[in-house]
Amino acid sequence: MPDVDYLSVRGVSKQFDSGGNAVSAIEDVSFDIARGSFVSILGPSGCGKSTLFNVIAGLLPPTAGDVRLGDTSIIGKAGQVGYMLQKDLLLPWRTIEDNITLGQTLRGIRKRTARQAAAPLIDRCGLAHFEKKKPHQLSGGMRQRAALLRTLLTGKDVLLLDEPFGALDAITRLQLQMTLIDVWQETRKTILFVTHDVDEALLLSDEIIVLTQRPGRVRARLTVDLPRPRTPDMLASPDLMQLKAQLMTLLLQEVTEP
Amino acid sequence: MTKPVRDLPSGVQEEKRLSRHAVNLWRWGLLIALIALWELGARLGWLDPFFFSSPTEIFRTAVTKWQTGDLWRDIAYTSASTLLGFALGTVIGSLIGLLFWFSRRAALVAEPWLVVLNALPKLALAPVLVILFGIGFSSKVILAFLMTVITAAISAWSGAKAVDPALTTLLFSLGAKRRQVFTLLVVPSAMPWIISGLRVNIALSMAGSIVGEFIASDRGLGRMIVYAGTTFDLKLVWVGVVVLSILSVLMYLAVVLLENLLSRRWSAEQNQT
């Protein structure tokens, strides 16, 4: 495969100034992501995952290091990757339709054109008949579906998903995970997915990167060798149980070791 | 607006609706009783008719003044300067407040100025303004404008400050330019704040217009009241007071209507996450 280092994070560190002291959020984080793969980042809370994402999204300049997409550095360049957060962040005064096409609106694409481009995916994400509604008329799960769709419609090849389903109940979360896998398999986006949930990481990812306690470093990188399409019952397979135990041990060590 | 209580048995709801009806009845009843008492007091000599006139007398004077066209002209004059000052003050003030979003530093420098200017009794400046801008229409509009512009700026700036930073991050991550974040996020987010300032500002604006007319004017309800007072025509003073009260209630209701229209557009239901 020629594109194994499509998204490349190289020696990225970020220090924040906290009352005169430099506090390190992430330190010398390096990894490569192959084009079209689904990689989860797992780590204890406060390991600097969001800082890492803000750097990759071009919203935060790192203290050191580089982030490359293909052949170009995307440090400080916002709008190069799609970004989705735990909060749906839909604009309350815009309809769902106008919210999901926000990325296109910002690029000056006409509403009609943007809507036409969105139409096939609206159905796919289970949002049919909700286009004209305002966000407050939708359930949390539906709003998060809209946020996912907005991220997909940015048309970027790389999507950063920062605990996108963290606030949802178990059943809704499972539904959205299935939708995400479904859409990902069709569009073959490159997805970087932050989560606290080991099962979620196992169910969705090709690979899992484990970060250390703050300051975040790459602790381990594991491959999830499961056939696609994935189904929830695969979580009970012996191989996966072993992988899960391994992950749990790694994470627990991170929290307990000083 | 009160939310209907769904779980209550129908009998209780019925009672609620009735009591609401009763409240309205009481409200209007009190007003009518007060007017009746005033009239009665004047007729029976409890109230000196020279000072307090009486509702029927006031009504008669108002009708005469209306027929000559004087009252109508004064109402139009005062309404026009009030509304113009209100509109200019709200639009310009809100713009200033919103534009502070572009520069934290400018906002920080301006903040104490806004607070002080807001606390300043602007009505005390009325004589200066009348000398500066003449006794005509413009000095009234400027006074009404000054009464509203600072509060409008403060409301809009509060709204701009309260924009969810996560939303700002999201828009930038989608590749938005600062100007786009401003028009697509900051302005609509601040709308509920701007709207909530309108009610206060219409009253302030009218106060500005009237005081301007008190100082020096050849028209307007404020001038009518001052003129009637100096000629001991207290009946006419009462006409002025009553007409002004009605006018301010009407303008208030108009602003409430405008508020409802605007907030439906910029629905403020953003609390659910």
Side-chain angles (χ1 to χ4, degrees):
Chain A
M1 277 219 291
D3 266 349
V4 284
D5 54 354
Y6 179 55
L7 176 70
S8 174
V9 176
R10 293 179 190 170
V12 168
S13 300
K14 178 68 192 177
Q15 285 166 357
F16 289 104
D17 187 49
S18 162
N21 300 325
V23 176
S24 209
I26 45 175
E27 217 167 77
D28 196 23
V29 172
S30 296
F31 53 77
D32 294 324
I33 309 282
R35 185 174 209 152
S37 62
F38 194 127
V39 178
S40 286
I41 294 180
L42 206 59
S45 43
C47 71
K49 290 170 293 195
S50 296
T51 305
L52 178 62
F53 265 27
N54 281 328
V55 170
I56 300 174
L59 301 169
L60 197 67
T63 317
D66 194 10
V67 180
R68 303 184 79 82
L69 184 63
D71 295 329
T72 47
S73 171
I74 53 168
I75 293 293
K77 287 184 196 159
Q80 301 297 306
V81 298
Y83 198 178
M84 177 178 176
L85 296 147
Q86 186 172 352
K87 287 208 285 182
D88 58 68
L89 299 176
L90 300 170
L91 301 180
W93 50 86
R94 288 173 87 98
T95 59
I96 293 303
E97 183 169 62
D98 288 346
N99 261 296
I100 59 180
T101 55
L102 188 62
Q104 284 101 307
T105 308
L106 290 170
R107 272 180 281 139
I109 294 168
R110 306 244 319 262
K111 263 188 182 166
R112 265 258 296 286
T113 323
R115 279 176 193 167
Q116 274 164 2
L121 275 168
I122 286 181
D123 221 20
R124 209 56 195 264
C125 289
L127 279 167
H129 315 301
F130 287 97
E131 297 97 324
K132 304 285 178 205
K133 296 238 190 293
K134 292 277 183 75
H136 69 90
Q137 295 171 295
L138 270 61
S139 67
M142 292 306 274
R143 283 207 298 272
Q144 208 57 1
R145 280 176 188 276
L148 174 62
L149 188 47
R150 178 184 58 201
T151 315
L152 288 167
L153 286 172
T154 53
K156 305 297 170 199
D157 287 334
V158 177
L159 305 184
L160 308 179
L161 310 183
D162 189 355
E163 291 185 60
F165 311 141
L168 303 175
D169 64 87
I171 296 166
T172 312
R173 184 185 310 172
L174 193 59
Q175 286 176 323
L176 269 137
Q177 286 166 350
M178 290 302 137
T179 304
L180 176 62
I181 296 190
D182 189 35
V183 175
W184 170 69
Q185 281 189 315
E186 191 181 296
T187 58
R188 280 289 155 182
K189 302 271 186 192
T190 308
I191 293 182
L192 208 50
F193 189 97
V194 160
T195 180
H196 284 303
D197 185 338
V198 177
D199 282 343
E200 184 171 60
L202 288 168
L203 184 61
L204 299 175
S205 333
D206 296 326
E207 287 180 279
I208 297 173
I209 292 172
V210 181
L211 289 187
T212 63
Q213 190 81 280
R214 180 176 284 250
R217 292 190 206 91
V218 176
R219 169 79 194 250
R221 185 167 179 164
L222 306 163
T223 306
V224 185
D225 227 347
L226 277 184
R228 305 249 180 204
R230 303 255 173 98
T231 47
D233 57 273
M234 288 179 181
L235 286 172
S237 78
D239 283 355
L240 209 73
M241 294 301 266
Q242 205 188 339
L243 198 55
K244 183 174 177 178
Q246 199 182 341
L247 277 170
M248 292 292 221
T249 315
L250 276 171
L251 285 171
L252 204 60
Q253 279 171 0
E254 275 313 314
V255 206
T256 45
E257 277 173 14
Chain B
M1 271 212 308
T2 49
K3 280 189 179 148
V5 187
R6 293 238 161 76
D7 307 333
L8 291 176
S10 59
V12 181
Q13 272 201 19
E14 193 72 10
E15 204 176 284
K16 283 216 128 166
R17 208 171 307 140
L18 270 176
S19 73
R20 192 149 180 198
H21 217 74
V23 165
N24 272 328
L25 216 69
W26 269 101
R27 284 175 179 166
W28 287 104
L30 265 171
L31 181 70
I32 291 163
L34 206 72
I35 293 170
L37 209 67
W38 188 357
E39 183 69 34
L40 204 70
R43 296 224 172 162
L44 296 179
W46 302 337
L47 298 168
D48 186 337
F50 175 76
F51 291 114
F52 294 101
S53 187
S54 74
T56 45
E57 273 299 307
I58 293 167
F59 184 70
R60 212 170 293 142
T61 315
V63 169
T64 327
K65 278 274 161 193
W66 182 273
Q67 277 159 352
T68 60
D70 288 350
L71 187 58
W72 167 240
R73 259 200 302 278
D74 286 336
I75 290 174
Y77 189 83
T78 304
S79 306
S81 63
T82 300
L83 291 175
L84 205 60
F86 168 73
L88 284 173
T90 304
V91 170
I92 293 173
S94 301
L95 262 175
I96 292 171
L98 288 171
L99 286 172
F100 280 141
W101 178 80
F102 281 103
S103 167
R104 266 266 150 195
R105 184 176 302 166
L108 284 173
V109 171
E111 229 164 20
W113 282 90
L114 286 178
V115 172
V116 169
L117 283 174
N118 194 37
L120 206 77
K122 285 160 287 287
L123 287 177
L125 286 172
V128 184
L129 289 171
V130 169
I131 292 167
L132 263 173
F133 297 101
I135 63 163
F137 190 64
S138 52
S139 61
K140 320 305 180 280
V141 176
I142 287 165
L143 204 53
F145 166 79
L146 285 178
M147 290 294 285
T148 51
V149 69
I150 307 292
T151 44
I154 291 174
S155 303
W157 170 229
S158 311
K161 264 197 298 194
V163 173
D164 184 352
L167 279 173
T168 318
T169 306
L170 173 87
L171 258 79
F172 280 127
S173 85
L174 288 171
K177 308 202 167 35
R178 273 171 80 74
R179 182 182 46 81
Q180 288 177 312
V181 176
F182 181 73
T183 51
L184 286 169
L185 176 63
V186 177
V187 175
S189 291
M191 275 315 265
W193 270 264
I194 293 172
I195 291 166
S196 74
L198 296 180
R199 282 180 202 220
V200 186
N201 269 350
I202 189 73
L204 285 173
S205 174
M206 185 176 248
S209 289
I210 293 164
V211 170
E213 290 169 6
F214 275 2
I215 304 292
S217 180
D218 49 2
R219 274 192 222 163
L221 290 165
R223 190 219 60 119
M224 186 183 104
I225 291 172
V226 170
Y227 175 78
T230 48
T231 55
F232 290 96
D233 187 356
L234 293 191
K235 258 189 301 197
L236 195 56
V237 172
W238 279 110
V239 170
V241 171
V242 170
V243 169
L244 270 178
S245 309
I246 294 170
L247 199 62
S248 67
V249 168
L250 286 179
M251 284 191 181
Y252 179 82
L253 290 176
V255 166
V256 171
L257 208 73
L258 181 74
E259 262 182 35
N260 288 341
L261 279 172
L262 286 173
S263 31
R264 203 168 306 151
R265 172 79 178 82
W266 308 108
S267 78
E269 272 131 326
Q270 28 193 308
N271 301 330
Q272 304 160 354
T273 23

